[in-house]
Amino acid sequence: MQQRVIISQDIEHDLAQAIAETEHDRVFVLTDDITQECCLPKVAVLFAKHNATIITIRHDDTNKTLATLADVWTALQRGGATRHSLLVNLGGGMVTDLGGFAAATFKRGINFINIPTTLLAMVDAAVGGKTGINFGGLKNEVGAFANARYVIVNTCFLDTLDTANLCSGYAEMLKHSLISNAQMWAEHVNFDILQPDLAKLQRMVAASIAVKEHIVADDPHEHGIRKALNFGHTIGHALEEFSMQQPGGAVVSARLLPLARARTAPTKQVTPGTLLHGYAVAFGLIGELYISARKAGFPTARLHQTARFIRENYGAVAFTCDDYPTLLNLMRHDKKNTSDTINFTLLHDIGDIRINQTATDEEIREALDFIREGY
């Protein structure tokens, strides 16, 4: 079943139509405690008309666990959900990942709709049919391919985000431009993400989603070109998992949130010491562009321009050469690997993709040096 992505201008109208066109005897809504407060009010009247049951879980990726998944299954069961029920996932990537997996597995599969409320979820997690949870300290270790019936994208929810969460989502957009075309990349590295034009950003979001949709349509189960979407993620996931293993997650410098220009919002402010997924991907992009330049001929001028944009907007990630063995070991657990070989997607140039590439431990260490020190 293919999913339909709606770039929405009227969230209540588009959601009402999506629910009407999706089989349902009961409607359930999954949120986390932040989106329940900040985002649910925008569509609460419509859910009340459907007598929807609200299921709320704790926010943060550390709660994307088997225990939380079981809580959602239990809530569906106690609420009388059947194989004909509908689950609406309203939230960021953690909610859409976990909620999609809950829907894909409850009663062997029920319909679900994703309403991403963060930029990261809009351009990445909510689109493409990947669902899952973290397990054993590894990102998205357990999951399934399952398409939402609809993904409804409306940037009205972005006014609830702080600067750090906007930057987190923007890293995935930057990745899409790198694997797509130079015009999009140039627009992205010249955009002011710290004081964004939200009208322009909505157009850019639609274009970014179109890049992912095109790739997913060609390769829904990641046997070939869909691996391009993993660019930046081999190193990025290792940094993210490393952060999760540290006391307090203390892996990011105090420049994580550029406080001098930060937006204010009622949602959670990200503090130094928390490595958001998009920040990990941004630093991963620097490292994998370095390997691309070294092994696949990626232009060094574009490497340095991209790295400069990331360093100016995302700060620096704090790890030392003593951490390299741990990071390399985490990379070896990546789902894209074959046996003990660490697989990468590399670029010869913007939009010129090389999947199923490898790098030696020494080349990866050099990339980690470049992330840390810029040389």
Side-chain angles (χ1 to χ4, degrees):
M1 178 186 70
Q2 286 192 331
Q3 63 185 9
R4 180 181 171 194
V5 178
I6 299 172
I7 306 299
S8 171
Q9 302 297 325
D10 184 335
I11 185 61
E12 285 199 1
H13 173 270
D14 293 328
L15 176 57
Q17 185 171 341
I19 292 175
E21 294 177 358
T22 303
E23 180 188 23
H24 63 277
D25 55 4
R26 293 181 177 86
V27 177
F28 294 80
V29 181
L30 181 66
T31 70
D32 65 31
D33 47 5
I34 288 178
T35 53
Q36 183 185 38
E37 175 186 353
C38 299
C39 302
L40 184 60
K42 295 179 183 286
V43 285
V45 172
L46 177 60
F47 287 136
K49 290 179 182 178
H50 287 277
N51 197 28
T53 299
I54 309 299
I55 304 170
T56 303
I57 59 179
R58 291 178 60 82
H59 70 271
D60 198 83
D61 206 64
T62 57
N63 293 297
K64 199 168 82 173
T65 64
L66 185 59
T68 304
L69 178 66
D71 288 341
V72 175
W73 285 331
T74 299
L76 290 169
Q77 189 176 64
R78 289 177 177 171
T82 73
R83 292 187 69 182
H84 306 284
S85 296
L86 170 66
L87 179 63
V88 180
N89 299 314
L90 176 71
M94 190 274 273
V95 170
T96 60
D97 277 359
L98 188 145
F101 191 33
T105 49
F106 186 78
K107 304 284 188 184
R108 296 194 177 95
I110 63 174
N111 285 321
F112 66 101
I113 293 171
N114 285 338
I115 307 176
T117 59
T118 66
L119 184 57
L120 179 62
M122 289 176 186
V123 300
D124 184 49
V127 179
K130 283 187 176 180
T131 70
I133 59 170
N134 303 334
F135 186 75
L138 299 175
K139 285 280 295 178
N140 301 320
E141 181 77 349
V142 179
F145 288 99
N147 280 329
R149 286 294 299 271
Y150 291 90
V151 179
I152 304 174
V153 177
N154 191 304
T155 53
C156 70
F157 296 108
L158 296 184
D159 63 9
T160 69
L161 291 185
D162 56 38
T163 302
N165 279 286
L166 275 174
C167 287
S168 183
Y170 195 77
E172 292 284 357
M173 295 177 63
L174 181 58
K175 176 202 72 179
H176 287 159
S177 73
L178 284 163
I179 64 174
S180 181
N181 65 78
Q183 182 178 354
M184 180 183 287
W185 168 80
E187 181 176 43
H188 283 191
V189 294
N190 287 289
F191 185 72
D192 187 354
I193 188 58
L194 301 184
Q195 292 190 344
D197 177 340
L198 290 181
K200 182 177 181 182
L201 184 60
Q202 176 156 321
R203 176 183 59 76
M204 294 166 67
V205 165
S208 188
I209 291 171
V211 171
K212 182 167 185 178
E213 280 193 292
H214 177 73
I215 290 174
V216 171
D218 284 348
D219 181 19
H221 294 113
E222 201 171 58
H223 297 306
I225 192 59
R226 182 167 178 162
K227 294 176 183 179
L229 296 172
N230 292 315
F231 185 61
H233 284 61
T234 300
I235 294 175
H237 273 165
L239 290 170
E240 187 175 7
E241 289 158 359
F242 177 73
S243 171
M244 291 166 63
Q245 295 174 6
Q246 305 310 300
V251 69
V252 182
S253 77
R255 288 187 60 208
L256 177 91
L257 182 60
L259 293 173
R261 304 177 66 189
R263 292 154 50 88
T264 57
T267 191
K268 171 192 173 190
Q269 293 289 323
V270 178
T271 56
T274 301
L275 187 59
L276 294 174
H277 172 74
Y279 278 72
V281 169
F283 301 129
L285 290 175
I286 293 176
E288 293 181 31
L289 282 174
Y290 175 88
I291 297 173
S292 294
R294 196 183 191 289
K295 294 182 65 72
F298 188 83
T300 56
R302 287 176 167 176
L303 160 65
H304 287 287
Q305 187 173 353
T306 307
R308 183 167 57 251
F309 174 86
I310 291 170
R311 292 188 176 109
E312 288 175 353
N313 290 283
Y314 294 79
V317 59
F319 60 93
T320 72
C321 57
D322 291 337
D323 300 315
Y324 289 5
T326 300
L327 290 166
L328 284 163
N329 187 54
L330 288 168
M331 290 179 214
R332 289 190 177 94
H333 283 91
D334 192 281
K335 296 182 293 298
K336 300 180 294 298
N337 293 339
T338 302
S339 186
D340 198 39
T341 302
I342 300 173
N343 286 334
F344 289 91
T345 291
L346 300 179
L347 301 180
H348 173 66
D349 203 342
I350 293 171
D352 192 343
I353 301 160
R354 304 287 193 269
I355 64 171
N356 299 326
Q357 303 297 299
T358 62
T360 66
D361 285 5
E362 182 57 34
E363 289 164 341
I364 297 170
R365 289 190 185 96
E366 289 179 12
L368 294 172
D369 286 341
F370 186 74
I371 294 171
R372 290 173 52 227
E373 302 169 4
Y375 63 81

